[in-house]
Amino acid sequence: MIKIVLPDIENLHQLDVYKENGGYTAVKKALTQSPDDIIDQVKRSGLRGRGGAAFSTGLKWSFMPKTTDKPKYLCVNGDESEPGSFKDRQIFEYNPHQLIEGILISCYAIGAKTCYIYIRGEYHKWIRLMQKAIDDAYAAGLVGEAMKTTFSTDFHCDIYIHKGAGAYICGEESSLMNSLEGKRGYPRIKPPFPAQNGLWGCPTTINNVETITNIPPIINNGWDWFASIGEPKHPGTILFGVSGHVNKPGVYELPSGTLLTEIIYKYAGGVPGDKKILCVIPGGSSMPPLRGDKLEGVKMDAESLKAAGSAIGTGGIIVMDEDTDLVKVLARIAHFYHHESCGQCTPCREGTGWLEKILKRIIAGKGSVNDLDLLITVANQIEGNTICALGEAAAWPVKFMVERFRDYFEKRVNKEINLEVANKVHSMRHSAITVEEIQH
Amino acid sequence: MEFNFTPENLERINTEIKKYPKKQAAVMAALYIAQEQNGYITNEIMSKIAEILDMHPHDVLSVVTFYTMYFQKPMGKYHIQVCTNVSCMLRGAYEIWNQLREKLQIENLEVTSDGKFSLEEVECMGSCGTAPMFAINEDFYENLTKEKVEEIINSLN
Ligand SMILES: Cc1cc2nc3c(=O)[nH]c(=O)nc-3n(C[C@H](O)[C@H](O)[C@H](O)COP(=O)(O)O)c2cc1C
Ligand code: SF4
Ligand code: FES
């Protein structure tokens, strides 16, 4: 099985091992070509962002102005806070040098001399591991001023880690830039877009950790090689993080377009107790949930998932078995978005609170069928009316979960599901919690 | 009471400042360093950081209150953060959460009377594949069971 981002090579995180396996040859090769040439190869490779929106990486890079007096910046997004996502930390731990090499090539292509890797504050250990790799690369003359001599080039680039401090919203690119500048992480109104007006008003490109880690193999093996892997419209491999009710949760690097059922049953070992699947969220908690009886034939790439009524997001697959209490799951998701809303836009600030409140009412057995329509109305009022996409992220799970599991939710509010039973046979693996206890 | 950074910590802040074209960008790092030195963030700390980074103290405060990892009151020697988000919830996180509340007799963001433990319910920590989990200070503990939780907590002194 082809692995691009997390190859099975022991101790690959060490600089010498990475070098023995062809490390830092891609940047050497890239530096002999023109920046436009690099952008063109990345465009043709078909690489799309792995941070959620699956936008063409080469196209994004081409938005960076060619002539400007201002410094340009690359921000690598390692905020990784989307519930169900735990892939970027594997790169920090197991393949940090490929990320560094990818940064050097990317910075050369867009003309940036400084890169900030924004890593969520809770990742203390992974920040240390990543910093160690950066220090080793500096010491070996692969980064910074010294790379001019090492690679006989005029180009040089510095890499710094910026540590976050616990805010999901800082993964949103404009919030991330405000956070980096030392401000509250409020998302900015777009336009202007970061390529024109980003960090400190300068042209900036923001890419996900996994996206940038794909760059060195593309340069070394050619864009056509990459474009031939997986689904042609969204090529390459994807790090799928599988969690929830599966026997072998974990991160699986597989070609895009792999069947969702194959990932769950073949790689993640199926569902404990051979239970049926009630629901799967295929791309992290912000993405529309799919019904367990509608998974057949669903392929894991941006276009196929769109056709199936969801989105690839960060590739975080959350599996829920038939005994899962979907109302509690949805209430927990709603709580998350309410907690993480930065509060700038009224529809998001107030709407996320309403969604949580209504769902908690249903959990407490005081809901009605009208509440189900109300949930969808509130979700629709958030969607499209906010500064950033957290609005959609909060609205989608509610809207689609209630729509797609209307039968389940109606039974629940009509008390055809005994609350006692619902609480017992509920989503936790081991035992039950009482209604009061979830009212934290 | 005026707050002063230790000389080593001032040096660390200066190193942070050099990473950026504008001093203010070092505020998050400076706050972490202050919290490490003092345990939590006080008004005096915010004034000091504002002075060092040419900021208004209000702007430092707005950063402190925006992020969840800065504390304005002392937390326990062992700050336990339990993730209860979906992937963890599906694998028993609330059981762990309730177990700890009972064992330590404290609620969210409270500290035990001896100052040893504090508890916090947190959002996804990026350990969904090794759920349930908690973090104690900077260390992650994953694939938890009730027995493991007992063992880990009892081993701390
Ligand atoms: C609320 C919210 C949270 C986000 N969190 C992350 C994140 O943690 N990591 C990430 O790479 N992208 C995140 N994104 C997407 C970024 O805004 C941005 O699109 C992405 O980093 C671009 O990188 P890519 O083109 O390589 O995917 C988030 C978006 C939103 C709206
Ligand atoms: S949509 Fe929500 S998170 Fe995004 S800017 Fe508006 S209030 Fe903040
Ligand atoms: S949901 Fe708990 S670590 Fe992700």
Side-chain angles (χ1 to χ4, degrees):
Chain A
M1 190 62 74
I2 184 155
K3 301 263 174 82
I4 299 172
V5 175
L6 292 174
D8 295 313
I9 299 170
E10 220 176 309
N11 293 324
L12 189 59
H13 65 284
Q14 294 169 3
L15 178 55
D16 50 345
V17 178
Y18 182 66
K19 275 180 139 179
E20 278 160 27
N21 286 279
Y24 291 100
T25 53
V27 59
K28 197 167 176 194
K29 182 172 171 189
L31 288 168
T32 64
Q33 302 167 8
S34 79
D36 281 345
D37 227 21
I38 307 290
I39 295 180
D40 191 55
Q41 290 168 53
V42 174
K43 235 190 239 174
R44 284 168 192 254
S45 77
L47 175 65
R48 294 168 68 166
R50 305 292 196 245
F55 191 80
S56 159
T57 306
L59 193 58
K60 185 186 271 191
W61 290 4
S62 71
F63 297 153
M64 289 291 273
K66 303 266 179 273
T67 48
T68 169
D69 304 334
K70 294 179 176 171
K72 299 188 221 175
Y73 294 102
L74 173 70
C75 289
V76 175
N77 194 340
D79 193 50
E80 185 147 88
S81 307
E82 170 96 348
S85 308
F86 48 103
K87 61 185 185 75
D88 296 338
R89 79 177 232 195
Q90 319 289 332
I91 296 173
F92 297 139
E93 184 162 350
Y94 298 109
N95 204 2
H97 283 288
Q98 193 171 317
L99 172 58
I100 295 172
E101 187 174 12
I103 288 171
L104 297 175
I105 299 167
S106 309
C107 281
Y108 175 68
I110 62 172
K113 289 200 169 62
T114 311
C115 165
Y116 296 103
I117 312 177
Y118 190 105
I119 307 183
R120 63 177 301 176
E122 295 86 346
Y123 274 5
H124 308 277
K125 171 181 158 187
W126 293 276
I127 289 172
R128 282 195 291 271
L129 293 172
M130 196 61 221
Q131 188 62 55
K132 165 87 171 70
I134 294 173
D135 292 345
D136 289 349
Y138 266 100
L142 297 161
V143 184
E145 279 284 333
M147 68 182 289
K148 285 188 183 169
T149 331
T150 310
F151 297 108
S152 322
T153 168
D154 294 335
F155 174 78
H156 71 99
C157 159
D158 283 300
I159 303 174
Y160 305 106
I161 292 177
H162 187 93
K163 185 177 182 178
Y168 165 66
I169 191 60
C170 290
E172 194 280 333
E173 56 187 25
S174 61
S175 163
L176 183 148
M177 293 190 294
N178 275 341
S179 178
L180 234 157
E181 291 180 13
K183 301 171 185 157
R184 271 182 302 212
Y186 276 176
R188 301 175 182 173
I189 293 171
K190 285 175 248 180
F193 291 98
Q196 265 67 49
N197 191 332
L199 264 182
W200 298 289
C202 303
T204 304
T205 292
I206 298 112
N207 275 125
N208 173 258
V209 168
E210 184 186 344
T211 310
I212 298 295
T213 309
N214 271 291
I215 300 293
I218 292 176
I219 299 302
N220 258 343
N221 302 333
W223 62 267
D224 40 351
W225 163 82
F226 188 86
S228 70
I229 299 162
E231 273 295 304
K233 285 189 172 157
H234 185 191
T237 59
I238 297 177
L239 298 182
F240 294 110
V242 194
S243 65
H245 297 150
V246 288
N247 285 312
K248 288 192 288 174
V251 171
Y252 299 94
E253 178 173 3
L254 296 165
S256 66
T258 302
L259 285 172
L260 177 54
T261 45
E262 193 182 334
I263 298 176
I264 296 173
Y265 290 103
K266 185 168 158 201
Y267 295 97
V271 182
D274 283 330
K275 287 189 183 160
K276 278 202 214 112
I277 296 175
L278 180 62
C279 175
V280 175
I281 306 181
S285 70
S286 308
M287 300 303 149
L290 297 171
R291 280 181 72 100
D293 53 16
K294 295 246 162 69
L295 302 180
E296 219 50 60
V298 173
K299 290 200 277 182
M300 291 297 287
D301 61 89
E303 302 306 322
S304 311
L305 272 173
K306 202 153 126 198
S310 191
I312 187 77
T314 55
I317 301 168
I318 308 174
V319 180
M320 293 165 240
D321 72 19
E322 55 189 325
D323 290 340
T324 306
D325 183 348
L326 283 186
V327 183
K328 273 196 196 128
V329 168
L330 192 56
R332 186 63 188 83
I333 293 177
H335 170 78
F336 171 71
Y337 291 104
H338 182 210
H339 182 251
E340 299 298 333
S341 165
C342 82
Q344 275 192 108
C345 332
T346 314
C348 172
R349 183 184 62 236
E350 302 298 323
T352 51
W354 275 104
L355 294 177
E356 184 183 0
K357 225 181 268 175
I358 300 166
L359 283 158
K360 292 233 165 117
R361 182 156 80 205
I362 298 176
I363 289 180
K366 294 177 194 141
S368 68
V369 175
N370 290 343
D371 281 338
L372 302 183
D373 300 324
L374 187 57
L375 281 171
I376 291 174
T377 308
V378 175
N380 281 335
Q381 280 165 352
I382 302 174
E383 195 180 339
N385 296 319
T386 57
I387 293 176
C388 88
L390 188 136
E392 279 73 42
W396 282 0
V398 173
K399 183 168 135 179
F400 289 105
M401 184 96 83
V402 175
E403 268 175 18
R404 289 176 186 168
F405 294 88
R406 182 88 192 186
D407 47 346
Y408 181 93
F409 279 78
E410 281 191 6
K411 267 198 220 149
R412 182 68 189 264
V413 292
N414 289 333
K415 304 213 173 51
E416 284 160 36
I417 294 176
N418 185 328
L419 257 192
E420 289 275 312
V421 180
N423 273 324
K424 258 186 215 126
V425 190
H426 109 313
S427 50
M428 284 179 8
R429 220 58 314 245
H430 313 288
S431 78
I433 50 169
T434 65
V435 177
E436 291 80 53
E437 277 170 331
I438 201 161
Q439 309 280 13
H440 47 272
Chain B
M1 209 178 38
E2 210 201 330
F3 173 85
N4 281 307
F5 282 104
T6 62
E8 303 80 62
N9 281 346
L10 261 186
E11 203 36 57
R12 282 168 72 197
I13 294 176
N14 281 328
T15 311
E16 287 294 330
I17 291 173
K18 288 195 198 105
K19 289 167 37 175
Y20 310 99
K22 293 228 165 95
K23 280 180 167 185
Q24 180 173 352
V27 66
M28 293 175 76
L31 284 165
Y32 271 125
I33 293 168
Q35 186 157 286
E36 205 183 288
Q37 183 177 323
N38 189 62
Y40 62 104
I41 304 295
T42 61
N43 288 339
E44 291 73 26
I45 287 179
M46 290 188 255
S47 301
K48 180 56 90 182
I49 289 178
E51 186 189 313
I52 297 174
L53 301 179
D54 296 336
M55 291 171 72
H56 194 284
H58 275 152
D59 293 332
V60 181
L61 176 67
S62 76
V63 171
V64 171
T65 53
F66 188 84
Y67 301 95
T68 58
M69 289 176 69
Y70 302 122
F71 297 110
Q72 288 184 267
K73 62 173 192 185
M75 300 311 281
K77 178 179 173 198
Y78 298 107
H79 183 58
I80 310 172
Q81 300 162 277
V82 188
C83 169
T84 60
N85 212 308
V86 191
S87 303
C88 285
M89 175 186 187
L90 293 170
R91 298 181 80 91
Y94 276 101
E95 258 204 287
I96 307 286
W97 173 247
N98 289 333
Q99 181 187 358
L100 286 167
R101 280 168 62 226
E102 259 167 54
K103 187 174 169 68
L104 304 174
Q105 289 292 309
I106 47 173
E107 295 297 323
N108 191 27
L109 290 172
E110 288 180 358
V111 188
T112 52
S113 51
D114 58 0
K116 192 168 162 187
F117 296 105
S118 48
L119 202 51
E120 185 181 4
E121 183 181 6
V122 294
E123 300 299 349
C124 177
M125 295 280 270
S127 295
C128 329
T130 39
M133 71 81 70
F134 60 45
I136 301 180
N137 300 340
E138 298 198 347
D139 300 318
F140 281 34
Y141 297 82
E142 304 178 317
N143 290 314
L144 293 175
T145 58
K146 289 190 125 182
E147 295 71 34
K148 262 203 218 171
V149 171
E150 275 302 306
E151 212 176 289
I152 293 163
I153 302 299
N154 291 340
S155 73
L156 298 171
N157 46 47

